[in-house]
Amino acid sequence: MADSKPLFSLDGDPVAAEALLRDVFGIVVDEVIRKGTSASEKVCEWKEPKELKQLLDLELRSQGESQEKILERCRAVIRYSVKTCEPWVLVGRVSGVCTQLHSELPAPFSRSPSLLQPALLRYTYEIAPVFVLMEEEVLKKLRELVGWSSGDGVFCPGGSISNMYAVNLARYHRYPDCKRRGLRALPPLALFTSKECHYSIKKGAAFLGLGTDSVRVVKADERGKMIPEDLERQISLAEAEGAVPFLVCATSGTTVLGAFDPLEAIADVCQRHGLWMHVDAAWGGSVLLSQTHRNLLDGIQRADSVAWNPHKLLTAGLQCSALLLQDTSNLLKHCHGSQASYLFQQDKFYDVALDTGDKVVQCGRRVDCLKLWLMWKAQGGQGLERRVDQAFALARYLVEEIKKREGFVLVMEPEFVNVCFWFVPPSLRGKQESPDYSERLAKVAPILKERMVKEGSMMIGYQPHGTRGNFFRMVVANPALTRADMDFLLNELERLGQDL
Protein backbone atom coordinates (compact mmCIF):
# COMPACT_ATOMS: atom_id res chain seq x y z
CA MET A 1 0.00 0.00 0.00
CA ALA A 2 1.42 3.40 -0.98
CA ASP A 3 2.11 5.90 1.79
CA SER A 4 -0.89 8.11 2.62
CA LYS A 5 1.08 11.17 3.76
CA PRO A 6 1.27 14.19 1.42
CA LEU A 7 3.91 13.95 -1.26
CA PHE A 8 5.66 17.18 -0.25
CA SER A 9 6.92 15.30 2.81
CA LEU A 10 9.01 13.14 0.47
CA ASP A 11 11.28 16.09 -0.31
CA GLY A 12 14.83 15.17 0.60
CA ASP A 13 13.98 11.49 0.93
CA PRO A 14 15.68 9.73 -2.02
CA VAL A 15 14.50 6.28 -0.96
CA ALA A 16 10.85 7.35 -0.94
CA ALA A 17 11.32 9.23 -4.21
CA GLU A 18 12.74 6.11 -5.86
CA ALA A 19 9.83 4.04 -4.59
CA LEU A 20 7.40 6.55 -6.06
CA LEU A 21 9.10 6.44 -9.45
CA ARG A 22 8.98 2.65 -9.45
CA ASP A 23 5.26 2.76 -8.69
CA VAL A 24 4.63 5.24 -11.51
CA PHE A 25 6.64 3.13 -13.93
CA GLY A 26 4.60 0.08 -12.89
CA ILE A 27 1.41 1.95 -13.78
CA VAL A 28 2.82 2.87 -17.19
CA VAL A 29 3.74 -0.76 -17.87
CA ASP A 30 0.32 -1.98 -16.75
CA GLU A 31 -1.89 0.64 -18.41
CA VAL A 32 0.10 1.44 -21.56
CA ILE A 33 1.90 -1.76 -22.44
CA ARG A 34 -0.17 -4.59 -20.96
CA LYS A 35 -3.68 -3.18 -21.20
CA GLY A 36 -2.81 -0.96 -24.13
CA THR A 37 -2.07 -3.96 -26.32
CA SER A 38 -4.86 -6.17 -25.04
CA ALA A 39 -7.55 -7.23 -27.47
CA SER A 40 -10.14 -6.74 -24.74
CA GLU A 41 -9.42 -3.02 -24.33
CA LYS A 42 -10.95 -0.05 -26.14
CA VAL A 43 -9.18 2.62 -28.16
CA CYS A 44 -10.60 5.16 -25.73
CA GLU A 45 -12.91 5.21 -22.73
CA TRP A 46 -15.13 7.97 -24.06
CA LYS A 47 -16.62 10.38 -21.54
CA GLU A 48 -18.45 13.62 -22.10
CA PRO A 49 -16.39 16.65 -20.99
CA LYS A 50 -18.50 17.40 -17.91
CA GLU A 51 -18.27 13.81 -16.69
CA LEU A 52 -14.56 13.56 -17.42
CA LYS A 53 -13.83 16.70 -15.41
CA GLN A 54 -15.55 15.14 -12.44
CA LEU A 55 -13.75 11.81 -12.85
CA LEU A 56 -10.34 13.45 -13.05
CA ASP A 57 -11.00 16.06 -10.34
CA LEU A 58 -8.91 18.67 -12.16
CA GLU A 59 -9.18 21.45 -9.58
CA LEU A 60 -5.83 22.65 -8.21
CA ARG A 61 -5.96 23.12 -4.45
CA SER A 62 -3.72 24.57 -1.76
CA GLN A 63 -3.20 21.23 0.01
CA GLY A 64 -1.13 18.42 -1.45
CA GLU A 65 -2.38 14.85 -1.81
CA SER A 66 -1.03 11.53 -0.69
CA GLN A 67 1.21 9.32 -2.77
CA GLU A 68 -1.58 6.78 -3.01
CA LYS A 69 -3.93 9.41 -4.44
CA ILE A 70 -1.33 10.67 -6.90
CA LEU A 71 -0.78 7.14 -8.21
CA GLU A 72 -4.54 6.79 -8.68
CA ARG A 73 -4.50 10.02 -10.68
CA CYS A 74 -1.64 8.78 -12.86
CA ARG A 75 -3.62 5.67 -13.67
CA ALA A 76 -6.77 7.68 -14.43
CA VAL A 77 -4.90 10.04 -16.77
CA ILE A 78 -3.74 7.08 -18.85
CA ARG A 79 -7.05 5.24 -18.64
CA TYR A 80 -9.09 8.10 -20.06
CA SER A 81 -6.56 9.14 -22.70
CA VAL A 82 -6.66 7.86 -26.27
CA LYS A 83 -4.36 4.86 -26.69
CA THR A 84 -2.13 6.24 -29.45
CA CYS A 85 0.39 3.43 -29.05
CA GLU A 86 -1.98 0.82 -30.48
CA PRO A 87 -2.50 -0.35 -34.02
CA TRP A 88 -6.26 -0.24 -33.26
CA VAL A 89 -7.54 -1.28 -29.84
CA LEU A 90 -11.10 -2.39 -29.99
CA VAL A 91 -13.26 -4.92 -28.24
CA GLY A 92 -12.36 -8.37 -29.46
CA ARG A 93 -9.50 -7.37 -31.77
CA VAL A 94 -6.16 -5.61 -31.65
CA SER A 95 -6.45 -2.42 -33.67
CA GLY A 96 -5.49 1.30 -33.35
CA VAL A 97 -5.80 5.03 -33.82
CA CYS A 98 -5.60 5.72 -37.53
CA THR A 99 -6.88 9.26 -37.58
CA GLN A 100 -3.54 11.08 -37.49
CA LEU A 101 -0.25 10.91 -39.39
CA HIS A 102 1.73 9.58 -36.46
CA SER A 103 1.62 6.40 -34.48
CA GLU A 104 3.52 5.18 -31.45
CA LEU A 105 4.64 1.72 -30.43
CA PRO A 106 5.02 0.20 -26.99
CA ALA A 107 8.25 -1.46 -28.16
CA PRO A 108 11.28 -0.90 -25.89
CA PHE A 109 13.29 0.99 -28.51
CA SER A 110 10.38 3.38 -29.03
CA ARG A 111 9.55 4.03 -25.38
CA SER A 112 13.04 3.82 -23.87
CA PRO A 113 14.28 7.27 -24.93
CA SER A 114 11.72 8.99 -22.72
CA LEU A 115 13.16 7.13 -19.76
CA LEU A 116 16.81 7.52 -20.80
CA GLN A 117 16.94 11.25 -21.46
CA PRO A 118 17.51 13.24 -18.29
CA ALA A 119 16.54 16.89 -17.90
CA LEU A 120 19.56 18.16 -19.81
CA LEU A 121 19.67 21.60 -21.37
CA ARG A 122 20.96 20.96 -24.85
CA TYR A 123 22.78 24.12 -25.86
CA THR A 124 26.51 23.46 -25.44
CA TYR A 125 28.83 20.50 -25.77
CA GLU A 126 29.95 20.72 -22.15
CA ILE A 127 26.40 20.31 -20.85
CA ALA A 128 25.32 17.58 -23.30
CA PRO A 129 28.35 16.01 -25.01
CA VAL A 130 26.64 12.73 -25.93
CA PHE A 131 23.60 14.33 -27.47
CA VAL A 132 25.48 17.03 -29.38
CA LEU A 133 27.47 14.34 -31.17
CA MET A 134 24.44 12.09 -31.54
CA GLU A 135 22.34 14.81 -33.16
CA GLU A 136 25.17 15.62 -35.54
CA GLU A 137 25.39 12.00 -36.65
CA VAL A 138 21.63 11.50 -37.03
CA LEU A 139 21.25 14.70 -39.07
CA LYS A 140 24.15 13.62 -41.27
CA LYS A 141 22.40 10.32 -41.99
CA LEU A 142 19.14 12.05 -42.86
CA ARG A 143 20.93 14.47 -45.18
CA GLU A 144 22.59 11.55 -46.95
CA LEU A 145 19.17 10.05 -47.60
CA VAL A 146 18.04 13.36 -49.09
CA GLY A 147 21.10 13.26 -51.34
CA TRP A 148 23.43 15.81 -49.72
CA SER A 149 27.04 15.09 -48.84
CA SER A 150 27.21 18.11 -46.52
CA GLY A 151 24.92 20.64 -44.92
CA ASP A 152 23.36 21.55 -41.61
CA GLY A 153 20.21 20.98 -39.61
CA VAL A 154 18.50 20.83 -36.27
CA PHE A 155 15.76 18.90 -34.51
CA CYS A 156 12.66 21.04 -33.95
CA PRO A 157 9.55 20.66 -31.78
CA GLY A 158 7.37 19.46 -34.64
CA GLY A 159 7.02 19.86 -38.39
CA SER A 160 5.15 23.15 -38.09
CA ILE A 161 8.16 24.74 -36.38
CA SER A 162 10.50 23.15 -38.95
CA ASN A 163 8.50 24.83 -41.71
CA MET A 164 8.56 28.16 -39.89
CA TYR A 165 12.33 27.91 -39.50
CA ALA A 166 12.62 27.37 -43.25
CA VAL A 167 10.58 30.49 -44.01
CA ASN A 168 12.68 32.53 -41.59
CA LEU A 169 15.95 31.21 -43.03
CA ALA A 170 14.85 31.90 -46.60
CA ARG A 171 13.91 35.46 -45.66
CA TYR A 172 17.20 36.05 -43.85
CA HIS A 173 19.14 34.53 -46.76
CA ARG A 174 17.52 37.06 -49.10
CA TYR A 175 17.54 40.03 -46.73
CA PRO A 176 20.06 39.47 -43.90
CA ASP A 177 19.57 43.03 -42.64
CA CYS A 178 16.08 42.08 -41.45
CA LYS A 179 17.60 40.42 -38.39
CA ARG A 180 18.74 43.83 -37.14
CA ARG A 181 16.22 46.22 -38.68
CA GLY A 182 13.13 43.99 -38.67
CA LEU A 183 10.23 44.28 -41.07
CA ARG A 184 11.08 47.83 -42.07
CA ALA A 185 14.09 46.41 -43.92
CA LEU A 186 11.83 44.39 -46.19
CA PRO A 187 9.84 45.06 -49.33
CA PRO A 188 6.48 43.25 -49.72
CA LEU A 189 7.43 39.57 -49.93
CA ALA A 190 5.70 36.63 -51.59
CA LEU A 191 6.03 32.94 -50.88
CA PHE A 192 4.34 30.20 -52.88
CA THR A 193 2.81 26.89 -51.88
CA SER A 194 0.12 24.50 -53.04
CA LYS A 195 -3.51 24.70 -51.99
CA GLU A 196 -2.86 21.27 -50.43
CA CYS A 197 -0.04 22.53 -48.21
CA HIS A 198 0.07 22.15 -44.44
CA TYR A 199 -1.61 24.97 -42.54
CA SER A 200 1.68 25.78 -40.77
CA ILE A 201 2.85 27.70 -43.84
CA LYS A 202 0.20 30.38 -43.38
CA LYS A 203 0.63 30.26 -39.62
CA GLY A 204 4.35 30.78 -40.09
CA ALA A 205 3.80 33.75 -42.38
CA ALA A 206 1.56 35.35 -39.76
CA PHE A 207 3.92 34.53 -36.89
CA LEU A 208 6.96 35.97 -38.71
CA GLY A 209 5.19 39.19 -39.56
CA LEU A 210 4.88 38.55 -43.28
CA GLY A 211 1.11 38.24 -43.09
CA THR A 212 -1.03 35.53 -44.59
CA ASP A 213 -1.57 37.66 -47.70
CA SER A 214 2.08 37.07 -48.56
CA VAL A 215 1.27 33.37 -49.14
CA ARG A 216 0.35 32.88 -52.80
CA VAL A 217 -1.68 29.70 -53.23
CA VAL A 218 -0.72 27.65 -56.28
CA LYS A 219 -3.28 25.40 -57.94
CA ALA A 220 -3.10 21.63 -57.53
CA ASP A 221 -4.27 18.97 -59.96
CA GLU A 222 -7.02 16.45 -59.27
CA ARG A 223 -4.56 14.26 -57.33
CA GLY A 224 -3.47 17.12 -55.07
CA LYS A 225 -0.10 17.84 -56.72
CA MET A 226 1.16 21.37 -57.26
CA ILE A 227 0.92 22.50 -60.91
CA PRO A 228 4.33 23.99 -61.91
CA GLU A 229 2.80 26.05 -64.72
CA ASP A 230 0.53 27.81 -62.24
CA LEU A 231 3.52 28.37 -59.97
CA GLU A 232 5.18 30.25 -62.83
CA ARG A 233 2.02 32.26 -63.34
CA GLN A 234 1.72 33.13 -59.67
CA ILE A 235 5.34 34.29 -59.52
CA SER A 236 4.85 36.60 -62.51
CA LEU A 237 1.61 37.92 -61.01
CA ALA A 238 3.29 38.66 -57.64
CA GLU A 239 6.11 40.53 -59.37
CA ALA A 240 3.62 42.54 -61.42
CA GLU A 241 1.89 43.55 -58.18
CA GLY A 242 5.15 44.82 -56.69
CA ALA A 243 5.96 41.89 -54.40
CA VAL A 244 9.33 40.14 -54.22
CA PRO A 245 9.15 36.32 -54.50
CA PHE A 246 11.62 34.60 -52.17
CA LEU A 247 10.39 31.07 -51.31
CA VAL A 248 8.54 28.09 -52.74
CA CYS A 249 7.29 25.41 -50.36
CA ALA A 250 6.62 22.06 -52.03
CA THR A 251 4.93 19.19 -50.22
CA SER A 252 5.98 15.54 -50.19
CA GLY A 253 3.02 13.72 -48.69
CA THR A 254 0.05 16.05 -48.29
CA THR A 255 -2.05 15.64 -45.18
CA VAL A 256 -5.30 14.45 -46.73
CA LEU A 257 -4.58 12.80 -50.08
CA GLY A 258 -0.94 11.90 -49.48
CA ALA A 259 0.18 13.66 -52.69
CA PHE A 260 3.80 14.27 -53.68
CA ASP A 261 4.49 17.50 -55.55
CA PRO A 262 6.65 17.23 -58.74
CA LEU A 263 9.93 18.33 -57.17
CA GLU A 264 12.10 18.30 -60.29
CA ALA A 265 9.76 20.66 -62.15
CA ILE A 266 9.37 22.89 -59.09
CA ALA A 267 13.16 22.99 -58.67
CA ASP A 268 13.49 24.14 -62.28
CA VAL A 269 11.12 27.05 -61.55
CA CYS A 270 13.01 27.97 -58.38
CA GLN A 271 16.31 27.87 -60.22
CA ARG A 272 15.04 30.16 -63.00
CA HIS A 273 13.76 32.73 -60.52
CA GLY A 274 16.43 32.42 -57.83
CA LEU A 275 14.00 31.28 -55.14
CA TRP A 276 14.63 29.25 -51.99
CA MET A 277 13.08 25.80 -52.35
CA HIS A 278 11.72 24.20 -49.19
CA VAL A 279 10.19 20.73 -49.17
CA ASP A 280 7.71 19.93 -46.43
CA ALA A 281 8.36 16.19 -46.25
CA ALA A 282 7.15 15.89 -42.68
CA TRP A 283 4.80 13.08 -43.69
CA GLY A 284 6.45 11.61 -46.77
CA GLY A 285 10.14 12.03 -46.01
CA SER A 286 10.53 8.54 -44.58
CA VAL A 287 9.80 7.11 -48.03
CA LEU A 288 13.44 7.99 -48.79
CA LEU A 289 14.38 4.85 -46.84
CA SER A 290 12.62 2.65 -49.40
CA GLN A 291 14.46 1.73 -52.56
CA THR A 292 11.12 0.69 -54.04
CA HIS A 293 9.21 3.91 -53.41
CA ARG A 294 11.76 6.71 -52.99
CA ASN A 295 11.19 7.81 -56.58
CA LEU A 296 8.15 9.68 -55.20
CA LEU A 297 10.65 12.25 -53.93
CA ASP A 298 12.80 12.55 -57.06
CA GLY A 299 14.32 16.01 -57.09
CA ILE A 300 14.37 16.52 -53.32
CA GLN A 301 18.18 16.76 -53.46
CA ARG A 302 17.75 20.08 -55.27
CA ALA A 303 15.95 21.66 -52.31
CA ASP A 304 17.54 24.22 -50.01
CA SER A 305 15.73 22.88 -46.95
CA VAL A 306 13.64 19.86 -46.00
CA ALA A 307 11.31 19.22 -43.05
CA TRP A 308 11.06 15.55 -42.05
CA ASN A 309 9.14 13.98 -39.14
CA PRO A 310 10.41 10.49 -38.23
CA HIS A 311 7.67 10.38 -35.59
CA LYS A 312 5.16 9.91 -38.36
CA LEU A 313 5.73 7.02 -40.78
CA LEU A 314 8.75 5.62 -38.89
CA THR A 315 6.78 5.76 -35.59
CA ALA A 316 9.61 7.29 -33.57
CA GLY A 317 8.27 8.65 -30.30
CA LEU A 318 6.43 11.94 -30.59
CA GLN A 319 8.05 14.41 -31.06
CA CYS A 320 10.88 13.80 -33.50
CA SER A 321 11.12 16.36 -36.30
CA ALA A 322 14.19 17.45 -38.26
CA LEU A 323 14.91 20.49 -40.39
CA LEU A 324 17.65 19.71 -42.88
CA LEU A 325 19.66 22.30 -44.83
CA GLN A 326 21.94 22.01 -47.83
CA ASP A 327 23.65 25.21 -46.65
CA THR A 328 27.26 24.99 -45.41
CA SER A 329 27.72 28.68 -44.52
CA ASN A 330 26.38 28.31 -40.96
CA LEU A 331 23.18 30.08 -41.98
CA LEU A 332 21.28 28.75 -38.96
CA LYS A 333 23.70 30.42 -36.56
CA HIS A 334 23.93 33.66 -38.53
CA CYS A 335 20.15 33.91 -38.67
CA HIS A 336 19.32 32.97 -35.07
CA GLY A 337 22.53 33.47 -33.07
CA SER A 338 22.78 36.02 -30.27
CA GLN A 339 26.32 35.19 -29.03
CA ALA A 340 25.31 35.23 -25.35
CA SER A 341 28.66 35.56 -23.58
CA TYR A 342 27.60 33.56 -20.52
CA LEU A 343 26.89 30.47 -22.67
CA PHE A 344 28.75 30.64 -25.94
CA GLN A 345 32.21 31.82 -24.95
CA GLN A 346 34.64 31.64 -27.86
CA ASP A 347 37.74 30.84 -25.74
CA LYS A 348 36.64 27.45 -24.41
CA PHE A 349 39.01 24.50 -24.17
CA TYR A 350 37.18 22.54 -26.92
CA ASP A 351 35.94 23.25 -30.44
CA VAL A 352 33.17 25.82 -29.91
CA ALA A 353 31.57 24.78 -33.19
CA LEU A 354 30.08 21.98 -31.08
CA ASP A 355 28.05 24.51 -29.10
CA THR A 356 24.99 24.21 -31.33
CA GLY A 357 22.47 25.96 -29.09
CA ASP A 358 22.95 29.36 -30.74
CA LYS A 359 21.59 28.00 -34.03
CA VAL A 360 18.04 27.69 -32.72
CA VAL A 361 15.36 29.94 -31.27
CA GLN A 362 15.02 27.76 -28.18
CA CYS A 363 17.64 27.63 -25.49
CA GLY A 364 17.19 24.25 -23.83
CA ARG A 365 15.79 21.45 -26.01
CA ARG A 366 14.70 17.87 -25.51
CA VAL A 367 17.05 15.37 -27.08
CA ASP A 368 14.68 14.24 -29.82
CA CYS A 369 17.53 12.76 -31.86
CA LEU A 370 17.85 9.97 -29.27
CA LYS A 371 14.49 8.51 -30.26
CA LEU A 372 15.50 8.02 -33.87
CA TRP A 373 19.07 7.02 -33.05
CA LEU A 374 17.99 4.24 -30.69
CA MET A 375 15.31 3.02 -33.10
CA TRP A 376 17.82 2.95 -35.96
CA LYS A 377 20.33 1.06 -33.81
CA ALA A 378 17.67 -1.51 -32.97
CA GLN A 379 16.17 -1.96 -36.44
CA GLY A 380 18.89 -0.82 -38.81
CA GLY A 381 18.22 0.94 -42.07
CA GLN A 382 16.99 -2.30 -43.59
CA GLY A 383 14.47 -2.82 -40.82
CA LEU A 384 13.12 0.70 -41.24
CA GLU A 385 12.93 0.18 -44.99
CA ARG A 386 10.83 -2.95 -44.42
CA ARG A 387 8.55 -0.92 -42.17
CA VAL A 388 7.94 1.63 -44.95
CA ASP A 389 7.44 -1.02 -47.62
CA GLN A 390 5.06 -2.94 -45.36
CA ALA A 391 2.90 0.16 -44.94
CA PHE A 392 2.66 0.58 -48.72
CA ALA A 393 1.77 -3.09 -49.17
CA LEU A 394 -0.93 -3.00 -46.50
CA ALA A 395 -2.42 0.16 -47.97
CA ARG A 396 -2.60 -1.59 -51.33
CA TYR A 397 -4.36 -4.56 -49.70
CA LEU A 398 -6.95 -2.23 -48.18
CA VAL A 399 -7.53 -0.57 -51.55
CA GLU A 400 -8.14 -3.90 -53.26
CA GLU A 401 -10.54 -4.99 -50.50
CA ILE A 402 -12.47 -1.73 -50.79
CA LYS A 403 -12.91 -2.36 -54.51
CA LYS A 404 -14.44 -5.77 -53.79
CA ARG A 405 -17.06 -4.61 -51.31
CA GLU A 406 -20.45 -3.13 -51.98
CA GLY A 407 -20.93 0.19 -50.28
CA PHE A 408 -17.28 1.29 -50.37
CA VAL A 409 -16.04 3.83 -52.91
CA LEU A 410 -12.47 5.07 -53.29
CA VAL A 411 -11.97 8.81 -53.53
CA MET A 412 -8.97 8.08 -55.77
CA GLU A 413 -6.20 5.55 -56.24
CA PRO A 414 -3.61 6.42 -53.59
CA GLU A 415 0.09 6.73 -54.29
CA PHE A 416 0.98 6.78 -50.59
CA VAL A 417 -0.51 5.19 -47.45
CA ASN A 418 -3.44 7.63 -47.16
CA VAL A 419 -6.45 5.59 -48.28
CA CYS A 420 -9.46 7.87 -48.79
CA PHE A 421 -12.91 6.39 -49.30
CA TRP A 422 -16.62 6.77 -48.71
CA PHE A 423 -18.85 4.27 -46.96
CA VAL A 424 -22.20 4.34 -48.74
CA PRO A 425 -24.93 2.99 -46.43
CA PRO A 426 -27.69 0.73 -47.77
CA SER A 427 -30.22 3.54 -48.06
CA LEU A 428 -28.01 5.49 -50.51
CA ARG A 429 -26.75 2.68 -52.73
CA GLY A 430 -27.78 3.08 -56.33
CA LYS A 431 -29.08 6.61 -55.75
CA GLN A 432 -26.14 8.60 -57.08
CA GLU A 433 -28.47 10.53 -59.39
CA SER A 434 -30.63 11.84 -56.55
CA PRO A 435 -30.29 15.63 -56.13
CA ASP A 436 -29.52 15.32 -52.40
CA TYR A 437 -27.19 12.32 -52.71
CA SER A 438 -23.94 14.21 -52.00
CA GLU A 439 -25.47 16.08 -49.09
CA ARG A 440 -26.77 12.91 -47.48
CA LEU A 441 -23.52 11.00 -48.09
CA ALA A 442 -21.51 13.79 -46.41
CA LYS A 443 -23.46 13.18 -43.18
CA VAL A 444 -22.53 9.49 -42.98
CA ALA A 445 -18.88 9.78 -41.87
CA PRO A 446 -19.57 12.08 -38.89
CA ILE A 447 -22.29 9.73 -37.64
CA LEU A 448 -20.05 6.68 -37.94
CA LYS A 449 -17.16 8.54 -36.29
CA GLU A 450 -19.34 9.30 -33.26
CA ARG A 451 -20.48 5.68 -33.04
CA MET A 452 -16.99 4.18 -33.28
CA VAL A 453 -15.52 6.57 -30.72
CA LYS A 454 -18.28 6.05 -28.19
CA GLU A 455 -18.05 2.29 -28.60
CA GLY A 456 -14.26 2.47 -28.42
CA SER A 457 -13.88 0.26 -31.48
CA MET A 458 -11.90 2.52 -33.82
CA MET A 459 -10.82 6.07 -34.45
CA ILE A 460 -10.65 6.84 -38.17
CA GLY A 461 -10.42 10.41 -39.44
CA TYR A 462 -12.80 11.99 -41.92
CA GLN A 463 -12.91 15.32 -43.76
CA PRO A 464 -14.37 17.11 -46.77
CA HIS A 465 -12.02 18.08 -49.59
CA GLY A 466 -12.83 20.72 -52.14
CA THR A 467 -16.17 19.83 -53.68
CA ARG A 468 -16.02 16.33 -52.18
CA GLY A 469 -18.22 15.69 -49.18
CA ASN A 470 -16.94 14.03 -45.99
CA PHE A 471 -14.97 10.84 -46.59
CA PHE A 472 -12.82 8.59 -44.41
CA ARG A 473 -9.04 8.85 -44.49
CA MET A 474 -7.39 5.64 -43.31
CA VAL A 475 -3.68 6.20 -42.62
CA VAL A 476 -1.93 2.85 -42.85
CA ALA A 477 1.24 3.71 -40.93
CA ASN A 478 1.40 1.65 -37.75
CA PRO A 479 3.64 -1.40 -38.32
CA ALA A 480 1.52 -3.47 -35.94
CA LEU A 481 -1.42 -3.35 -38.36
CA THR A 482 -2.24 -6.52 -40.27
CA ARG A 483 -4.55 -7.60 -43.09
CA ALA A 484 -6.93 -8.87 -40.43
CA ASP A 485 -7.13 -5.34 -39.07
CA MET A 486 -7.96 -4.00 -42.53
CA ASP A 487 -10.72 -6.58 -42.81
CA PHE A 488 -12.02 -5.59 -39.38
CA LEU A 489 -12.06 -1.92 -40.37
CA LEU A 490 -14.36 -2.59 -43.31
CA ASN A 491 -16.51 -5.05 -41.38
CA GLU A 492 -16.90 -2.61 -38.50
CA LEU A 493 -17.95 0.24 -40.77
CA GLU A 494 -20.55 -2.05 -42.31
CA ARG A 495 -21.80 -3.02 -38.86
CA LEU A 496 -21.93 0.54 -37.56
CA GLY A 497 -23.64 1.85 -40.68
CA GLN A 498 -26.05 -0.93 -41.59
CA ASP A 499 -29.07 1.02 -40.32
CA LEU A 500 -28.25 4.29 -42.09
Side-chain angles (χ1 to χ4, degrees):
M1 176 70 68
D3 201 326
S4 60
K5 59 185 176 181
L7 266 180
F8 71 81
S9 63
L10 300 181
D11 290 351
D13 187 343
V15 175
E18 178 181 345
L20 173 63
L21 288 175
R22 290 182 182 277
D23 287 340
V24 171
F25 183 70
I27 290 173
V28 172
V29 171
D30 185 44
E31 293 287 344
V32 176
I33 298 180
R34 291 177 185 158
K35 292 183 180 178
T37 57
S38 171
S40 63
E41 297 293 322
K42 297 180 178 181
V43 66
C44 69
E45 192 67 48
W46 176 261
K47 302 293 180 185
E48 294 296 331
K50 184 177 181 180
E51 182 184 3
L52 187 57
K53 285 181 180 180
Q54 293 176 340
L55 286 169
L56 295 177
D57 185 17
L58 295 174
E59 181 184 350
L60 300 176
R61 302 181 177 88
S62 59
Q63 295 296 316
E65 296 180 331
S66 69
Q67 178 174 334
E68 181 178 12
K69 190 67 176 178
I70 292 302
L71 293 175
E72 290 177 9
R73 296 201 181 283
C74 289
R75 192 177 293 274
V77 165
I78 299 173
R79 179 181 301 136
Y80 296 113
S81 295
V82 175
K83 309 302 188 295
T84 60
C85 63
E86 308 314 328
W88 287 102
V89 188
L90 40 93
V91 176
R93 177 176 296 281
V94 175
S95 97
V97 180
C98 298
T99 184
Q100 306 297 334
L101 300 187
H102 80 272
S103 186
E104 298 179 26
L105 293 176
F109 49 78
S110 180
R111 293 294 186 185
S112 297
S114 298
L115 303 176
L116 288 176
Q117 56 187 12
L120 291 179
L121 296 178
R122 269 228 352 90
Y123 41 74
T124 63
Y125 177 77
E126 60 188 298
I127 200 77
V130 172
F131 298 126
V132 164
L133 299 180
M134 181 182 292
E135 182 175 70
E136 185 179 75
E137 185 63 28
V138 173
L139 290 170
K140 177 184 175 183
K141 188 66 176 181
L142 296 181
R143 287 195 303 267
E144 288 174 356
L145 287 166
V146 170
W148 301 333
S149 58
S150 59
D152 202 354
V154 65
F155 275 84
C156 300
S160 292
I161 302 300
S162 295
N163 287 335
M164 292 181 193
Y165 265 72
V167 175
N168 197 42
L169 289 165
R171 179 176 65 176
Y172 175 84
H173 181 259
R174 185 69 175 262
Y175 295 101
D177 202 31
C178 72
K179 178 179 179 180
R180 181 177 61 86
R181 297 185 59 225
L183 297 180
R184 66 180 181 273
L186 301 172
L189 297 179
L191 62 104
F192 306 84
T193 191
S194 156
K195 66 187 291 287
E196 300 288 325
C197 76
H198 191 260
Y199 64 83
S200 60
I201 304 303
K202 282 195 172 183
K203 274 199 172 186
F207 184 77
L208 294 170
L210 296 172
T212 56
D213 286 350
S214 68
V215 181
R216 306 297 179 105
V217 179
V218 181
K219 292 180 181 178
D221 64 19
E222 68 281 355
R223 296 196 57 81
K225 299 171 180 288
M226 182 189 291
I227 300 174
E229 294 77 12
D230 192 58
L231 173 60
E232 284 273 16
R233 186 184 69 83
Q234 292 282 0
I235 292 171
S236 298
L237 180 61
E239 290 174 335
E241 293 174 353
V244 178
F246 77 105
L247 166 74
V248 175
C249 177
T251 309
S252 290
T254 59
T255 303
V256 177
L257 300 179
F260 287 75
D261 286 342
L263 300 183
E264 288 284 10
I266 293 170
D268 289 341
V269 175
C270 291
Q271 186 174 334
R272 281 195 295 273
H273 293 273
L275 306 182
W276 182 286
M277 179 179 171
H278 174 64
V279 178
D280 176 5
W283 178 214
S286 298
V287 177
L288 289 169
L289 284 155
S290 170
Q291 295 301 313
T292 303
H293 301 287
R294 63 170 291 135
N295 61 291
L296 290 170
L297 293 104
D298 282 351
I300 195 171
Q301 74 282 356
R302 299 176 63 186
D304 295 287
S305 57
V306 172
W308 180 352
N309 287 5
H311 70 236
K312 287 188 164 74
L313 188 56
L314 292 186
T315 69
L318 188 69
Q319 65 198 28
C320 186
S321 175
L323 174 69
L324 309 173
L325 300 175
Q326 189 169 183
D327 173 79
T328 57
S329 70
N330 214 4
L331 186 67
L332 270 168
K333 188 171 183 179
H334 293 317
C335 181
H336 300 130
S338 61
Q339 296 86 47
S341 60
Y342 58 88
L343 283 181
F344 306 113
Q345 303 94 334
Q346 298 303 295
D347 54 357
K348 291 183 178 180
F349 60 92
Y350 58 83
D351 182 3
V352 295
L354 293 170
D355 289 350
T356 57
D358 217 18
K359 298 195 300 185
V360 296
V361 175
Q362 295 168 269
C363 184
R365 291 187 291 138
R366 300 289 291 181
V367 287
D368 295 326
C369 63
L370 174 61
K371 304 164 189 176
L372 182 56
W373 179 84
L374 195 61
M375 174 181 283
W376 203 300
K377 283 290 189 181
Q379 299 236 334
Q382 292 180 347
L384 296 178
E385 179 179 11
R386 284 193 298 271
R387 175 170 291 183
V388 173
D389 289 344
Q390 176 184 321
F392 272 89
L394 198 55
R396 174 45 48 188
Y397 173 81
L398 177 59
V399 167
E400 296 306 317
E401 289 301 306
I402 286 174
K403 291 177 180 179
K404 296 176 184 177
R405 296 202 184 204
E406 183 183 10
F408 290 89
V409 179
L410 280 173
V411 173
M412 65 176 57
E413 285 282 347
E415 64 177 348
F416 195 22
V417 297
N418 302 41
V419 181
C420 300
F421 63 94
W422 287 281
F423 172 72
V424 183
S427 65
L428 288 178
R429 292 172 193 172
K431 297 183 179 180
Q432 291 86 340
E433 303 303 320
S434 300
D436 62 346
Y437 175 81
S438 296
E439 181 182 351
R440 292 172 62 190
L441 181 61
K443 296 178 180 178
V444 172
I447 293 172
L448 294 184
K449 177 65 176 282
E450 179 181 359
R451 290 180 178 183
M452 69 176 73
V453 169
K454 289 185 174 180
E455 285 200 21
S457 63
M458 300 188 300
M459 195 172 286
I460 311 299
Y462 73 86
Q463 64 283 302
H465 184 268
T467 60
R468 303 179 178 104
N470 288 320
F471 55 83
F472 287 109
R473 176 189 53 145
M474 173 63 185
V475 179
V476 187
N478 195 311
L481 287 169
T482 65
R483 289 189 173 193
D485 292 318
M486 299 300 97
D487 295 338
F488 177 87
L489 161 69
L490 302 180
N491 292 337
E492 181 70 353
L493 287 175
E494 288 178 336
R495 183 184 73 82
L496 292 171
Q498 62 184 346
D499 63 332
L500 296 180

